């Protein structure tokens, strides 16, 4: 008798089997490591099948290479069906076990799947041995058989534990070792359980597979599966790299224009600042498109996107090798130039961009045209850090936007202005809390009689140190910081409270900022103010601009319907300065139109302004909407409006805005005058009757 492990093995082929075992375990485990997470069933099954094919082939090939290296001392052949069955079982067992591991989600199902892989090792070995044909008896040692089962199942479970519960990125290497040990220990322990007792008479081996033929078959199968495994692995790695590159590009580029985004901008600018040598000038240009929002509102996002794409292509087309343009978000861009020679070169670069941006873009029969405000900052003159330089680009860009200049280069004085604005924002919030704000009222009068018909409420700030601060200084800051919402609510409540105290029930008009109208609870805020102060809803008039309505028509319609249902009046403010006035008048239920003062001031010397005012009055009359003229300052303007049959006006001609006490006194005086006129009228009507009675008494 021959003990299998002690005698009859070719050390070279055993070493080859061990190498195949380790290599196959590495490839199949690595392939399984690429199985996607989540519930992507199709992709997951394909990856598991790939790993199962390679792992099963590794088990089968390791077994039969070792068996080919085993010389029992008698001729050996193999049953073809059982041999192939062992291969199928190995592949199915490994694939099934890996699928259980992939679906385990950290449960013991993973270790159970590893045990299935161990069973695949045992099944391939023992079925393969069952297909062994030789002139000898095979005697199995029960203890060693049990040991082979325990080792195969144990190392299979350990394989699953390492690849399903990784504590570090290198845990899968533990899975490779455990899988290799499961195959090797299962096979060689099982071979150690075998004792071969040769027969004295040889058994014919016709119709079986000779060991040499099997060797060629094993090498062919293993070669094919290793080639398949490596090819799949390489394809997977290429796909992974491609996906990683796509993700990296997506993370660094704008999805619409494909320009670099703000992340890539900061990375590139940081590199330029770090590598800049002595005398090198780096230029950063902030670009903000003017009049882009009206195009987006009128033509929709399709028109806005088409415009942004066209402008991005134009800027990209004129860039030099050391220049780049990034989309900073919305309608803002930032351009960089790394090889500038000084401020003149920077300004020339900015103007080149400006010229490209301001040429019209033809789209679907429309000619889309925008302006552009550009702010320029230079490094290192204006800052050597990314955030510092970009902050100063913003300051220059905002200065360009606020002025008539198209391109503005940063000046240190801008920092002082910015700090002053920030300080004013802090002080304005404190003024709201400390009661430093006041409401002044500007009279609205009937043109034929010049009687007061109402007042417009205006916010005023009486600063304890700087005195009265003009609204033109603090209202833009309130709008930019969001304080306009709190300020608007305060003005609304204060105006309603004062109007309740007037002797005559005149109307009070309150301006509504776009940010207020966008608030979900704005209608409730208005109704609460009326309820708390006790003002009749019909005496309150909310003045809204076209811009605040166009930004979100549906929301504006809902809010206006709510306040109108309560009896509050709605006036369109600054009529004529928007871009969709006629459609706005048709859509929204206005109670009044206020002609902007820019059309009133030129009356008497500008025929075009006069024509616009007349047409607005005709339109208002046709729609049944009263019209009020703003900014009336001269008798000439008033006379024109009277002839054109405009009924109401406001402006300095009727008095400047005044405080609450003076306003209440003006209302009281008018009310007293009207009462006196009424009394005189009553006495005049009674006078003929009294004279007749006296004459009758005398007779």
């Amino acid at each position: 008798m021959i003990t299998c492990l002690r005698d009859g093995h070719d050390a070279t082929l055993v070493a080859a089997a061990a190498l195949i075992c380790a290599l196959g375990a590495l490839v199949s485990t690595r392939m399984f490591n690429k199985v996607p997470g989540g519930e992507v069933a199709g992709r997951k099954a394909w990856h598991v099948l790939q790993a199962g094919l390679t792992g099963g082939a590794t088990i089968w090939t390791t077994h039969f290479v070792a068996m080919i290296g085993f010389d029992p001392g008698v001729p050996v052949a193999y049953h073809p069906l059982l041999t192939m069955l062992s291969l199928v079982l190995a592949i199915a067992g490994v694939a099934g076990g890996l699928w259980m591991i992939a679906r385990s989600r950290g449960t013991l199902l993973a270790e159970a799947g590893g045990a299935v892989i161990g069973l695949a090792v045992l099944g391939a070995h023992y079925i393969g041995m069952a297909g062994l044909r030789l002139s000898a008896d095979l005697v199995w040692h029960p203890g060693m058989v049990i040991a082979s089962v325990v080792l195969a199942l144990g190392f299979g479970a350990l394989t699953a534990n390492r690849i399903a519960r990784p504590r570090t990125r290198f845990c899968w290497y533990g899975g490779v070792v455990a899988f290799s040990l499961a195959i090797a220990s299962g096979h060689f322990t099982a071979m150690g359980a075998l004792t071969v007792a040769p027969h004295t008479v040889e058994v014919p081996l016709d119709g079986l597979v000779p060991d040499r033929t099997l060797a060629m078959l094993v090498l062919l199968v293993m070669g094919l599966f290793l080639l398949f495994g490596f090819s799949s692995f390489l394809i997977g790695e290429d796909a992974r790299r491609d996906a990683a590159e796509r993700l990296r590009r997506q993370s660094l580029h704008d999805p619409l224009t494909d320009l670099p985004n703000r992340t890539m901008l900061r990375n590139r600018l940081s590199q330029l600042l770090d590598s800049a040598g002595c005398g090198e000038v780096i230029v950063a240009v902030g670009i903000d498109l003017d009049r882009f929002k009206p195009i987006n509102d009128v033509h929709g996002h399709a028109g806005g996107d088409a415009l942004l794409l066209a402008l991005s292509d134009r800027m990209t087309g004129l860039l030099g090798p050391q220049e780049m343009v990034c989309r900073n978000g919305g309608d803002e861009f930032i351009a960089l130039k790394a090889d500038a020679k000084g401020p003149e070169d920077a300004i020339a670069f900015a103007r080149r961009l400006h010229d490209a941006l301001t040429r019209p873009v033809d789209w679907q029969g429309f000619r889309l045209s925008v302006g552009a405000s550009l702010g320029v900052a230079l490094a290192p003159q204006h800052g050597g850090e990314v955030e510092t330089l970009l902050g100063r680009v913003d300051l220059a860009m905002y200065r360009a936007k606020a002025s008539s200049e198209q391109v503005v280069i940063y000046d240190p004085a801008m920092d002082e202005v910015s700090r002053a604005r920030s300080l004013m924002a802090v002080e304005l919030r404190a003024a709201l809390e400390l009661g430093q704000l006041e409401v002044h009222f500007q009279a609205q009068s009937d043109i034929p009689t010049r009687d007061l018909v109402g007042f417009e409420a205006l916010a005023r700030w009486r600063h304890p140190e700087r005195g009265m601060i003009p609204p033109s200084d603090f209202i833009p800051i309130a709008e930019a910081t969001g304080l306009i919402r709190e300020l608007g609510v305060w003005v609304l409540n204060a105006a309603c409270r004062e109007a309740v105290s007037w002797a005559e029930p005149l109307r009070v008009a309150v301006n509504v900022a776009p940010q207020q109208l966008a608030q979900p609870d704005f209608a409730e805020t208005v109704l609460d103010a009326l309820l708390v102060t006790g003002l009749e809803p019909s005496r309150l008039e909310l003045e809204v601009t076209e811009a605040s309505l166009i930004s979100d028509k549906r929301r504006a319609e809902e809010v206006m319907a709510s306040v109108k249902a309560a009896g509050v009046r709605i006036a369109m403010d600054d009529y004529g300065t928007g871009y969709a006035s006629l459609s706005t008048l048709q859509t929204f239920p206005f109670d009044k139109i206020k002609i902007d003062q820019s059309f009133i001031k030129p009356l008497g010397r500008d025929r075009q302004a006069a024509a616009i005012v007349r047409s607005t009055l005709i339109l208002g009359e046709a729609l049944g909407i009263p019209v009020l003229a703003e900014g009336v300052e001269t008798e000439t303007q008033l006379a024109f409006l009277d002839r054109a049959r405009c009924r109401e006006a406001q402006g300095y001609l009727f008095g400047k805005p005044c405080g609450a006490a003076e306003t209440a006194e003006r209302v009281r005086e008018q009310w007293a005058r009207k009462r006196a006129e009424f009394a005189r009228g009553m006495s005049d009507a009674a006078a003929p009757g009294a004279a007749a009675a006296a004459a009758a008494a005398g007779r």
Side-chain angles (χ1 to χ4, degrees):
M1 294 191 296
I2 304 171
T3 301
C4 178
L5 285 181
R6 189 174 61 239
D7 303 310
H9 269 90
D10 186 320
T12 302
L13 287 174
V14 170
L19 178 62
I20 290 171
C21 175
L23 185 60
L26 173 68
V27 173
S28 57
T29 306
R30 182 63 173 171
M31 292 171 68
F32 178 76
N33 198 44
K34 298 301 180 182
V35 172
E39 296 297 330
V40 191
R43 288 182 58 205
K44 181 175 290 187
W46 171 242
H47 281 274
V48 167
L49 179 60
Q50 287 179 314
L53 285 169
T54 305
T58 299
I59 294 171
W60 187 81
T61 308
T62 301
H63 168 75
F64 279 103
V65 168
M67 287 302 298
I68 292 168
F70 168 54
D71 182 10
V74 295
V76 176
Y78 297 88
H79 193 285
L81 291 180
L82 290 176
T83 300
M84 295 311 298
L85 179 61
S86 65
L87 174 61
V88 172
L89 179 64
I91 293 173
V94 174
L98 292 177
W99 181 253
M100 292 171 67
I101 297 171
R103 303 280 295 188
S104 66
R105 299 184 178 181
T107 66
L108 290 178
L109 182 63
E111 281 72 14
V116 170
I117 293 175
L119 290 174
V121 172
L122 295 169
H125 176 82
Y126 285 109
I127 291 178
M129 292 300 294
L132 182 65
R133 296 290 184 266
L134 70 171
S135 298
D137 291 328
L138 302 180
V139 181
W140 297 94
H141 188 283
M144 293 295 286
V145 170
I146 293 173
S148 71
V149 173
V150 171
L151 288 172
L153 295 181
F155 282 120
L158 182 60
T159 301
N161 180 273
R162 292 294 80 200
I163 62 179
R165 307 177 195 278
R167 292 183 177 85
T168 69
R169 58 180 295 189
F170 302 106
C171 278
W172 73 276
Y173 288 112
V176 174
V177 174
F179 190 24
S180 300
L181 290 174
I183 298 172
S185 64
H187 172 81
F188 289 108
T189 304
M191 290 299 291
L194 175 65
T195 300
V196 179
H199 295 163
T200 56
V201 179
E202 289 190 6
V203 176
L205 302 178
D206 297 336
L208 300 176
V209 179
D211 55 356
R212 291 182 177 276
T213 304
L214 179 64
M216 296 178 62
L217 177 63
V218 167
L219 292 175
L220 177 62
V221 169
M222 193 59 204
L224 288 175
F225 277 108
L226 283 178
L227 180 61
F228 169 77
F230 275 115
S231 300
S232 299
F233 176 74
L234 293 175
I235 291 171
E237 285 295 297
D238 287 343
R240 184 189 62 80
R241 283 193 293 268
D242 290 344
E245 177 60 26
R246 284 195 301 272
L247 289 174
R248 189 194 70 83
R249 182 172 180 80
Q250 289 172 5
S251 69
L252 297 176
H253 286 75
D254 175 60
L256 173 64
T257 62
D258 201 37
L259 291 176
N261 61 16
R262 68 182 71 188
T263 301
M264 188 171 180
L265 161 74
R266 280 163 170 73
N267 293 343
R268 176 59 177 158
L269 183 55
S270 178
Q271 293 171 1
L272 291 175
L273 293 173
D274 290 342
S275 62
C278 182
E280 291 186 32
V281 177
I282 300 166
V283 179
V285 181
I287 304 167
D288 186 76
L289 300 182
D290 302 326
R291 304 187 305 276
F292 176 75
K293 189 176 184 303
I295 291 175
N296 218 27
D297 291 336
V298 173
H299 298 287
H301 290 297
D305 290 350
L307 179 61
L308 290 174
L309 280 168
L311 297 181
S312 300
D313 290 343
R314 279 187 191 168
M315 288 188 288
T316 303
L318 57 81
L319 295 178
Q322 296 297 317
E323 300 167 353
M324 71 180 295
V325 172
C326 309
R327 188 182 180 194
N328 199 36
D331 59 350
E332 290 189 11
F333 300 84
I334 292 181
L336 300 177
K337 181 177 176 65
D339 57 351
K341 297 178 176 58
E344 297 81 7
D345 202 9
I347 293 295
F349 175 53
R351 293 201 179 280
R352 182 158 37 105
L353 293 170
H354 183 273
D355 292 343
L357 291 166
T358 52
R359 294 199 308 272
V361 172
D362 293 325
W363 176 75
Q364 294 187 358
F366 297 97
R367 174 154 285 197
L368 309 180
S369 180
V370 294
S373 301
L374 284 73
V376 182
L378 284 67
Q381 294 95 315
H382 300 148
E385 300 293 331
V386 171
E387 296 304 324
T388 301
L389 191 65
L390 293 180
R392 289 171 176 174
V393 165
D394 284 342
L395 288 176
M397 184 177 70
Y398 293 143
R399 175 65 62 87
K401 202 167 186 67
S403 66
S404 58
E405 299 180 69
Q406 298 169 339
V407 178
V408 171
I409 195 166
Y410 168 79
D411 186 279
M414 295 177 185
D415 282 325
E416 295 300 324
V417 174
S418 178
R419 280 191 287 269
R421 287 173 60 87
S422 299
L423 177 61
M424 182 172 285
V426 174
E427 292 182 330
L428 179 57
R429 186 176 293 278
L432 273 168
E433 298 172 356
L434 299 175
Q436 297 174 2
L437 296 174
E438 303 174 3
V439 176
H440 286 204
F441 296 88
Q442 185 170 34
Q444 296 178 339
S445 302
D446 180 78
I447 291 178
T449 65
R450 301 205 180 189
D451 286 342
L452 295 171
V453 295
F455 291 89
E456 180 179 355
L458 304 169
R460 295 292 184 264
W461 181 6
R462 194 179 297 278
H463 195 279
E465 297 175 0
R466 288 179 277 174
M468 194 66 77
I469 298 178
S472 57
D473 288 350
F474 70 85
I475 293 295
I477 293 176
E479 291 176 337
T481 59
L483 275 174
I484 193 67
R485 300 186 185 95
E486 298 175 41
L487 179 60
V489 172
W490 181 86
V491 172
L492 174 65
N493 282 274
C496 292
R497 189 166 50 249
E498 291 297 332
V500 168
S501 66
W502 293 341
E504 186 177 353
L506 303 179
R507 296 190 302 270
V508 61
V510 178
N511 287 286
V512 177
Q515 295 95 321
Q516 289 179 267
L517 201 61
Q519 289 294 102
D521 60 347
F522 177 71
E524 288 79 3
T525 300
V526 173
L527 299 180
D528 286 346
L530 295 172
L531 182 63
V532 170
T533 61
L535 183 70
E536 287 292 325
S538 60
R539 293 181 59 196
L540 176 62
E541 191 169 84
L542 301 179
E543 297 186 356
V544 297
T545 61
E546 293 177 76
S548 61
L549 299 174
I550 295 300
S551 60
D552 189 347
K553 281 189 176 183
R554 179 174 298 180
R555 173 67 189 156
E557 286 180 13
E558 292 174 356
V559 172
M560 292 179 68
S562 297
V563 295
K564 283 280 290 180
V568 177
R569 295 166 56 85
I570 307 290
M572 176 186 276
D573 198 14
D574 301 335
Y575 179 82
T577 59
Y579 49 85
S581 299
L582 294 178
S583 62
T584 305
L585 286 175
Q586 187 178 23
T587 303
F588 296 96
F590 290 105
D591 299 289
K592 182 184 288 185
I593 297 172
K594 297 186 71 174
I595 305 177
D596 188 71
Q597 61 181 343
S598 61
F599 300 106
I600 303 301
K601 287 185 178 181
L603 289 179
R605 65 178 188 276
D606 188 329
R607 295 179 59 186
Q608 187 175 11
I612 292 173
V613 171
R614 286 195 190 96
S615 63
T616 303
L617 291 167
I618 293 171
L619 178 63
E621 184 177 359
L623 296 175
I625 304 175
V627 177
L628 180 145
E630 296 182 285
V632 178
E633 298 179 355
T634 67
E635 292 291 345
T636 301
Q637 295 166 349
L638 187 66
F640 176 91
L641 294 169
D642 192 18
R643 290 193 302 271
R645 294 189 298 181
C646 180
R647 296 294 302 175
E648 295 180 3
Q650 74 178 69
Y652 285 180
L653 182 63
F654 305 101
K656 294 184 177 181
C658 53
E662 186 177 345
T663 300
E665 180 62 22
R666 288 187 65 180
V667 175
R668 190 193 62 77
E669 290 175 356
Q670 175 169 290
W671 180 241
R673 175 175 56 79
K674 286 185 176 181
R675 290 182 63 184
E677 291 175 353
F678 179 77
R680 283 198 301 273
M682 291 296 292
S683 62
D684 290 343
R699 288 194 297 271

